[in-house]
Amino acid sequence: MKRWTLFLPLGFFLILCTLLLAGLFMEDKTVLRSVLLNRPLPEFSLPVLEEERQVTQDEMKGQVYLLNVWGSWCPACKAEHSQLVNIASDGFSIVGINYKDSPELALNWLSHSGSPYLYNIQDTDGRLGLDLGVYGSPETFLIDQEGVIRYKHVGILDGKVWNEKVKPLYEMLEEEAKL
């Protein structure tokens, strides 16, 4: 037996370790991919929190907007809220999904904190959130004028994320909608 063949198992082990390490660092771990990216919003018909009406995914087509998943029970949502108010005051459209929340508590929160939302979809049982692949609150989706999910952000939408990632995409989608 040749002496170099004794090192074959060590060589295979080093190659395997190299491939595993490369796999760990190749992907941005802060981004959670959604299988729904570039697909239409899932079908739903749910009540609007502030009004006595139902809304469907088809009624939401025709404009670019952020779809923000939130709850009055969620501390991170409360931390994010002032940023959403600023975004809305700059003229960007935001629709809320009030996720697994009591309508009374949600309305109370919005009356005290101000609402950045055009309206809120009441997802009391979390079915829409489940269909959207929501990991938790807050999460924000960017929806184009055709009702297609174009971006998903998990966690607080802070100024840095808004200005560097979401706002440029939002503005690009609005420009596309004008063509």
Side-chain angles (χ1 to χ4, degrees), residues 25 97 109 124 138 173-174:
F25 296 106
I97 296 178
W109 163 252
T124 308
L173 292 175
E174 280 194 322

Side-chain angles (χ1 to χ4, degrees), residues 9-22:
L10 178 63
F12 285 125
F13 177 75
L14 291 175
I15 290 171
L16 182 64
C17 288
T18 303
L19 292 174
L20 288 173
L21 284 174

Side-chain angles (χ1 to χ4, degrees), residues 8 23 41 43 52 58 83 107 139 149 174:
L8 276 177
L41 277 175
E43 290 184 23
E52 294 285 329
D58 289 334
Q83 178 64 24
L107 288 169
E139 289 191 19
I149 299 169
E174 280 194 322

Side-chain angles (χ1 to χ4, degrees), residues 26-131:
M26 287 180 67
E27 187 174 307
D28 184 357
K29 303 296 183 210
T30 61
V31 177
L32 293 174
R33 303 276 181 227
S34 172
V35 294
L36 294 178
L37 285 181
N38 299 316
R39 294 190 178 179
L41 277 175
E43 290 184 23
F44 66 88
S45 178
L46 290 169
V48 173
L49 181 67
E50 300 89 345
E51 303 169 28
E52 294 285 329
R53 69 177 176 104
Q54 298 274 316
V55 66
T56 68
Q57 75 287 347
D58 289 334
E59 295 171 30
M60 300 172 68
K61 291 180 181 175
Q63 72 172 28
V64 177
Y65 59 93
L66 298 175
L67 186 62
N68 178 255
V69 180
W70 69 279
S72 64
W73 47 265
C74 165
C77 300
K78 292 178 179 179
E80 177 188 59
H81 193 78
S82 64
Q83 178 64 24
L84 295 178
V85 170
N86 290 336
I87 291 169
S89 69
D90 288 339
F92 296 95
S93 299
I94 307 173
V95 174
I97 296 178
N98 184 237
Y99 182 64
K100 295 185 176 181
D101 202 356
S102 153
E104 295 79 24
L105 293 175
L107 288 169
N108 188 34
W109 163 252
L110 291 174
S111 72
H112 284 80
S113 308
S115 177
Y117 305 106
L118 298 173
Y119 57 89
N120 282 280
I121 300 166
Q122 198 174 334
D123 187 21
T124 308
D125 65 359
R127 171 67 76 196
L128 178 57
L130 187 65
D131 290 345

